[in-house]
């Protein structure tokens, strides 16, 4: 158990990330690492910066995406832990599943907990799940299941996650815009994720990308800010499938389709047919629990 009573040090876990990793086969699996962050008070300056960068509003409490941003430091702590068998530099964030149970006040004092929840060996890589909970006055108000993928051969492949299947791409165009540049460091200060792929093009090209690209939570928030919430019910769920990068200074098109208490959307970079992000935003009875099978598409 790793315990924090203040914001985890970025310097500490980024330095740990430089140490060699044992490897999944040698380690025999992913360790049950758990990290807690007690009595976190929402920083008004950080929240204001998040709202400026994404365009989201906080009229009725924190946006469902925000706890995933400020709580990402605990993910970084676990992914760089000495017992974690794979290096963080090879991790790709591929899915986010978020559930909010009630509005979270902007002045709330919160307790956060993140832990390794499971993993799956696939034909060309391995997925690992990190489960996070946020409590306000001992009540569970928000939780997430974030999935990270490592390319490679790790043994006999098993079945995929029931949450792996993304919804169909919506046809209707909701908006078009051009993404900004120079915001990588600003958003990294919120998430604690200073991976060079988000601010250094030369480094990003070493991993096969065309250049540096936005942190997925930033463009996901910008997409949500251009959509109407699917329901007025405070119980909400957001599932997002992160399929590819959204580069700085690129044209993007947002597609969306609304159903009863459910909104599906897709963000497509200019000149491409394949979406970079697919999402399913639901409310009320449609906001199934995170450990349920995949929600209907």
């Amino acid at each position: 158990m790793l315990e924090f009573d203040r914001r985890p040090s970025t310097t500490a876990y980024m330095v740990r990330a430089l140490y060699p990793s044992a490897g999944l086969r040698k380690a025999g699996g992913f360790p049950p690492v758990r990290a807690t962050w007690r009595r976190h008070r929402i920083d008004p300056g950080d929240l204001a910066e998040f709202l400026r960068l994404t365009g989201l509003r906080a009229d009725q409490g924190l946006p469902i995406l925000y706890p995933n941003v400020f709580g990402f430091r605990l993910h970084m702590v676990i992914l760089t832990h000495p017992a974690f068998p794979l290096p963080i530099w090879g991790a790709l964030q591929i899915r986010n599943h978020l559930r909010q149970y009630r509005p979270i006040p902007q002045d709330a004092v919160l307790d956060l907990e993140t832990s390794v929840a499971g993993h799956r060996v696939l034909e060309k890589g391995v997925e690992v799940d990190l489960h996070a909970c946020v409590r306000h006055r001992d009540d569970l108000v928000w939780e997430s299941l974030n999935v990270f993928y490592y390319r490679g051969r790790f043994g006999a492949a098993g079945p995929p996650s029931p949450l792996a299947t993304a919804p169909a791409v919506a046809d209707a165009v909701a908006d078009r815009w051009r993404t900004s540049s120079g915001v990588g460091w600003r958003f990294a200060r919120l998430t604690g994720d200073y991976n060079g792929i988000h601010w250094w093009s030369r480094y990003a090209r070493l991993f096969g990308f065309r250049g540096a690209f936005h942190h997925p939570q930033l463009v996901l928030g910008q997409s949500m800010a251009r959509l109407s919430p699917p329901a007025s019910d405070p119980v909400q769920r957001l599932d997002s499938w992160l399929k590819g990068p959204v580069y700085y200074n690129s044209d993007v098109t947002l597609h969306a389709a609304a159903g009863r208490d459910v909104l599906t959307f897709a963000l497509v970079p200019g000149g491409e047919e394949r979406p970079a992000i697919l999402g399913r935003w639901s409310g009320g009875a449609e906001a199934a629990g995170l450990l349920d099978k995949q929600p209907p598409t």
Side-chain angles (χ1 to χ4, degrees):
M1 172 78 78
L2 306 169
E3 298 182 349
F4 300 89
D5 58 7
R6 65 187 67 184
R7 187 186 303 244
S9 168
T10 303
T11 301
Y13 60 67
M14 292 306 288
V15 168
R16 285 199 304 270
L18 300 175
Y19 285 74
S21 302
L24 186 60
R25 296 193 183 192
K26 183 177 180 181
F30 291 92
V33 181
R34 185 181 303 271
T36 62
W37 180 1
R38 305 296 185 192
R39 298 177 296 280
H40 168 65
R41 187 178 297 276
I42 300 298
D43 186 305
D46 287 350
L47 177 58
E49 178 76 338
F50 171 82
L51 299 178
R52 278 193 296 269
L53 291 172
T54 62
L56 288 166
R57 301 168 64 92
D59 297 335
Q60 299 180 353
L62 301 180
I64 187 174
L65 190 62
Y66 188 61
N68 201 45
V69 170
F70 73 74
F72 203 78
R73 291 172 185 271
L74 288 186
H75 290 70
M76 297 294 292
V77 165
I78 290 177
L79 293 172
T80 59
H81 190 275
F84 204 81
L86 297 174
I88 191 173
W89 313 112
L92 288 175
Q93 190 180 177
I94 60 168
R95 292 195 301 277
N96 300 148
H97 307 284
L98 318 178
R99 192 166 193 253
Q100 184 167 297
Y101 293 89
R102 58 183 59 87
I104 304 175
Q106 295 186 33
D107 60 352
V109 179
L110 304 171
D111 292 328
L112 290 72
E113 180 175 288
T114 301
S115 60
V116 178
H119 75 278
R120 289 161 300 284
V121 175
L122 305 177
E123 183 179 352
K124 297 182 180 180
V126 64
E127 293 178 352
V128 59
D129 302 329
L130 297 190
H131 181 250
C133 295
V134 175
R135 289 181 170 81
H136 179 223
R137 297 174 180 170
D138 295 328
D139 291 331
L140 179 66
V141 294
W142 184 96
E143 65 174 327
S144 70
L145 193 68
N146 285 355
V147 185
F148 295 86
Y149 177 76
Y150 293 83
R151 295 189 183 100
R153 301 288 182 176
F154 298 96
S161 167
L163 295 169
T165 303
V169 179
D171 292 327
V173 173
D175 204 352
R176 291 186 174 93
W177 70 96
R178 187 170 181 82
T179 66
S180 59
S181 62
V183 296
W185 278 96
R186 290 171 61 187
F187 205 74
R189 194 180 67 80
L190 300 178
T191 62
D193 179 3
Y194 286 90
N195 192 327
I197 60 177
H198 298 309
W199 53 270
W200 187 10
S201 288
R202 181 178 296 180
Y203 179 80
R205 284 193 286 269
L206 294 175
F207 291 86
F209 298 105
R210 194 169 72 232
F213 55 92
H214 288 283
H215 195 287
Q217 306 306 307
L218 174 57
V219 285
L220 180 56
Q222 291 174 344
S223 300
M224 295 173 67
R226 290 168 164 83
L227 301 169
S228 298
S232 58
D233 196 301
V235 177
Q236 293 187 5
R237 173 167 172 161
L238 175 67
D239 298 274
S240 56
W241 292 262
L242 313 176
K243 298 293 189 177
V246 177
Y247 294 103
Y248 296 113
N249 289 321
S250 62
D251 295 318
V252 293
T253 301
L254 180 64
H255 301 261
R260 180 170 179 174
D261 294 340
V262 178
L263 181 67
T264 58
F265 59 93
L267 186 68
V268 182
E272 299 185 21
E273 296 182 0
R274 183 174 180 265
I277 293 178
L278 288 159
R280 185 181 188 275
W281 190 5
S282 53
E286 292 294 325
L290 292 185
L291 301 182
D292 296 344
K293 293 184 179 181
Q294 180 192 342
T297 59

